[in-house]
Amino acid sequence: MRAAARYPHDPGVRRLVRRLSAASDEFDRLWRAHEVRVRRSTTRRLYHPQVGVFDVDCESLPIPERDQRLIIHTAAPGSPGRAALDLIRVIGSESFSPS
């Protein structure tokens, strides 16, 4: 759990780890082994009301001094995800409701 590493003295996080460890031998074993990977890139499936469902690449960049993350969604040129992102850029804040 990244939260436990980031906030090691947080009582809520510590309480959660204790409860999970007590409830699951597997969790307890994995937690004690510290086999934790931080995934910074992945593929995400997104939904847009006018465009529908599409896949994009997602990068998560930590900004530790502000305790924030910058999330960047991209798609390869020529991919359906890229076409969807391009369409969203054109749609912008247009309203499609009847007047």
Side-chain angles (χ1 to χ4, degrees), residues 33-69:
H34 295 289
E35 295 175 13
V36 178
R37 284 192 328 219
V38 175
R39 185 177 6 171
R40 298 205 193 288
S41 63
T42 190
T43 300
R44 286 202 175 152
R45 180 156 288 162
L46 302 179
Y47 168 78
H48 186 278
Q50 281 85 35
V51 177
V53 176
F54 58 97
D55 294 330
V56 293
D57 297 320
C58 178
E59 296 288 326
S60 174
L61 307 173
I63 307 171
E65 59 275 1
R66 299 189 69 186
D67 197 22
Q68 295 179 338
R69 296 192 171 281

Side-chain angles (χ1 to χ4, degrees), residues 51 75-76 78-88:
V51 177
S79 70
R82 179 62 171 266
L85 290 175
D86 288 344
L87 183 54
I88 291 169

